Amino acid sequence: MTISPSASGQLRFLPVARPGAGEVTFRLPSPDQPFVRGTLTTPVGKVPQVRAGLNLRDRLGSWLARWNIGRMHFTVEPGLYALGRPDEHSPVLVSANYKMSFDVLRSALPGRDLWILVLDTKGINVWCAAGKGTFGTLELLDRIQASRLEEVVSHRRLIVPQLGAPGLAAHEIRRHSGFRVIYGPVMASDLPRFLDNGCRAEPGMRVKDFPLSERLVLVPVEVMQALRVGLPLILVLLAVSGLARNLAYGRAVEVHGLPMALAVLAGILAGTVMTPLLLPWIPGRFFSGKGVLTGLVCFAGIFGFLRHRWPEQGLMESMALLLVTLTIASWFAMAFTGATTYTSPGGVRREMLRAIPLQAAALIIGLGLWLTALFS
Amino acid sequence: MSELTYLEDVVSLAYDRNRCIGCGMCVTVCPHQVFALQRGRADMVARNHCMECGACMRNCPAGAITVEAGEGCVRGVINELLGIEGPCC
């Protein structure tokens, strides 16, 4: 099936071009993947059959991805999979080829018989991929065709995660493939109840909240990404601090460099750990403002404890350290908007246009004061 | 914990109630319950909860909803402001 020119006019807003725009070649995913336990013979060939349970290797992969290790290469092959022993009447669930998404889905459905159609989202989770359009109308149409799904199942229904909706138009899928999209719950863990309810969502299943547990799992990635910038910055600042006037290099690093390194780390701690965890309880709407508040707390905590180690530190240098902590905290708190479940691009744009000039000024003044304190 | 809300009066969400056919797709796909079906048509009941994901616009068969959907991350906005195509999340 191909999309007619008149129909493609209605698909013009989709960011991804239909590759080749011609016939899609039939292809089943390789059974040679560690989570595949066998194959299921179907009218179109042997479909890989996956385990519902997660083993140590699956869990380790997810844990590493949470620490930003191998996260962009944590994928499964796109295409059709079987969970349990599905037949032509079994439901078809659509997912992304980020392995964590796929694992969350299959592990939520032990003892069930159903089909999983994995879209090629370039290893990105459903919601983010939907925002980018890779979890989208054209990809789903192509994947239906490439899997010859209409020969595998006799019904014409697809259960698509609700958070995939930004990427695809249910009415377009129906028009071009004959498959009716049923939007499933936000959370895969609600799928068993959703399926048992005859594919009806209870009210709470449609809402995306952002509880502490979900904010907590995001913290490691935020910390790792911040350190990728923060550690080189700290090394540069330590190297510069050694050149301070009137002191031997090593002693100068100890007296001026270490507090500055701590100031940077305090900012990262405030922006990437404290702000996400305490998010609903920190006053204010602007994330950059929340970061200033948590930055103040972290700065006061750390330097309150260690103040006695640098008795000769002057006011100018203390102010410099404070400004650096607040700026870094504010920046990384603002960056956390990208990971939340409720901030809008329009809001982030407005916040950035207001905050970045202030952050830049604070950083320049902070570093300026520091250099002045060290070298004059 | 009460519902988290970001900045107010900033989203680009626009809705033409006259075009609504009452199918309820916007109510279904919105993860923040911005729309509710009332007397056979959708009403925008919580505009400030909109995160501009674009799910309602894309799934509205009547074309009654428009929103400047995009990726709400700092990197994405920097790329957009600088006019470059770059990697995001």
Side-chain angles (χ1 to χ4, degrees):
Chain A
M1 193 208 72
T2 51
I3 292 180
S4 66
S6 62
S8 67
Q10 272 145 349
L11 292 169
R12 69 190 181 281
F13 55 86
L14 290 167
V16 184
R18 192 179 169 82
E23 284 298 311
V24 178
T25 46
F26 171 69
R27 189 184 154 81
L28 288 171
S30 161
D32 192 22
Q33 299 181 80
F35 50 85
V36 175
R37 70 166 192 207
T39 56
L40 191 70
T41 305
T42 72
V44 301
K46 290 184 191 301
V47 171
Q49 194 183 29
V50 301
R51 288 181 279 106
L54 302 184
N55 62 18
L56 196 62
R57 182 174 176 164
D58 297 323
R59 291 176 201 278
L60 180 67
S62 287
W63 187 79
L64 289 173
R66 288 294 191 193
W67 284 95
N68 208 22
I69 301 166
R71 187 164 64 102
M72 302 316 283
H73 309 284
F74 193 46
T75 58
V76 301
E77 269 189 43
L80 187 66
Y81 293 87
L83 185 67
R85 298 196 61 81
D87 60 20
E88 57 172 335
H89 305 295
S90 304
V92 181
L93 303 185
V94 180
S95 188
N97 83 321
Y98 181 39
K99 183 155 184 290
M100 205 186 291
S101 307
F102 183 72
D103 284 359
V104 165
L105 178 61
R106 65 192 168 103
S107 64
L109 298 157
R112 304 263 170 172
D113 300 312
L114 38 82
W115 304 101
I116 298 177
L117 185 65
V118 174
L119 304 192
D120 184 3
T121 58
K122 315 295 173 201
I124 306 287
N125 69 74
V126 171
W127 207 7
C128 287
K132 295 173 201 297
T134 46
F135 188 100
T137 303
L138 294 178
E139 167 59 18
L140 179 52
L141 290 172
D142 280 353
R143 202 54 57 189
I144 291 169
Q145 203 181 339
S147 309
R148 286 165 53 188
L149 189 62
E150 68 282 356
E151 295 172 50
V152 179
V153 292
S154 56
H155 62 79
R156 291 293 176 265
R157 290 182 309 277
L158 299 169
I159 299 173
V160 175
Q162 185 188 327
L163 295 184
L168 56 87
H171 52 283
E172 300 286 357
I173 300 294
R174 179 145 205 198
R175 181 182 307 164
H176 298 297
S177 72
F179 279 89
R180 186 160 70 91
V181 168
I182 299 166
Y183 283 113
V186 165
M187 306 298 286
S189 53
D190 284 331
L191 269 169
R193 276 228 311 283
F194 176 84
L195 291 168
D196 293 342
N197 281 351
C199 290
R200 260 188 303 276
E202 295 162 20
M205 291 183 188
R206 293 253 170 256
V207 181
K208 183 75 202 94
D209 55 4
F210 200 31
L212 180 63
S213 56
E214 287 185 16
R215 302 198 301 273
L216 179 64
V217 295
L218 296 172
V219 164
V221 165
E222 299 295 316
V223 171
M224 295 297 274
Q225 287 179 337
L227 288 178
R228 213 166 50 192
V229 186
L231 289 182
L233 176 68
I234 286 173
L235 287 179
V236 170
L237 291 169
L238 285 175
V240 171
S241 72
L243 305 170
R245 211 171 48 97
N246 294 340
L247 286 172
Y249 197 91
R251 179 77 189 132
V253 170
E254 224 178 300
V255 170
H256 299 297
L258 279 184
M260 179 49 98
L262 275 177
V264 173
L265 289 174
I268 291 176
L269 181 70
T272 64
V273 182
M274 252 180 106
T275 303
L277 293 185
L278 302 179
L279 195 64
W281 303 292
I282 307 167
R285 290 281 174 86
F286 285 87
F287 281 56
S288 47
K290 289 174 187 274
V292 169
L293 294 178
T294 54
L296 263 176
V297 172
C298 283
F299 186 87
I302 289 174
F303 286 97
F305 255 105
L306 300 173
R307 182 95 184 96
H308 64 277
R309 292 199 47 178
W310 301 288
E312 65 276 32
Q313 193 179 86
L315 180 65
M316 190 190 286
E317 192 174 347
S318 300
M319 287 305 297
L321 298 179
L322 177 62
L323 282 174
V324 167
T325 297
L326 297 188
T327 309
I328 290 175
S330 177
W331 173 263
F332 285 114
M334 188 172 77
F336 189 64
T337 54
T340 74
T341 61
Y342 68 99
T343 53
S344 60
V348 174
R349 195 182 308 119
R350 179 191 285 181
E351 165 153 12
M352 286 174 68
L353 290 176
R354 288 191 191 178
I356 287 177
L358 295 175
Q359 290 164 342
L363 189 64
I364 290 167
I365 294 170
L367 291 178
L369 287 176
W370 190 65
L371 293 174
T372 309
L374 264 60
F375 294 104
S376 66
Chain B
M1 189 181 79
S2 65
E3 168 113 38
L4 289 159
T5 316
Y6 193 36
L7 312 183
E8 305 211 326
D9 298 323
V10 65
V11 296
S12 55
L13 180 66
Y15 167 55
D16 180 358
R17 197 169 185 278
N18 292 324
R19 299 179 76 161
C20 179
I21 56 169
C23 70
M25 275 307 265
C26 54
V27 182
T28 298
V29 297
C30 177
H32 294 294
Q33 299 184 302
V34 170
F35 292 93
L37 218 49
Q38 289 166 353
R39 295 183 304 281
R41 280 194 191 179
D43 273 327
M44 199 155 57
V45 292
R47 188 162 185 270
N48 282 327
H49 287 174
C50 174
M51 59 176 295
E52 302 184 309
C53 73
C56 54
M57 169 177 69
R58 189 137 299 170
N59 283 277
C60 176
I65 304 170
T66 52
V67 56
E68 282 174 40
E71 291 172 274
C73 57
V74 167
R75 184 74 173 272
V77 173
I78 289 176
N79 289 348
E80 177 201 313
L81 291 176
L82 298 177
I84 55 173
E85 290 272 321
C88 189
C89 356

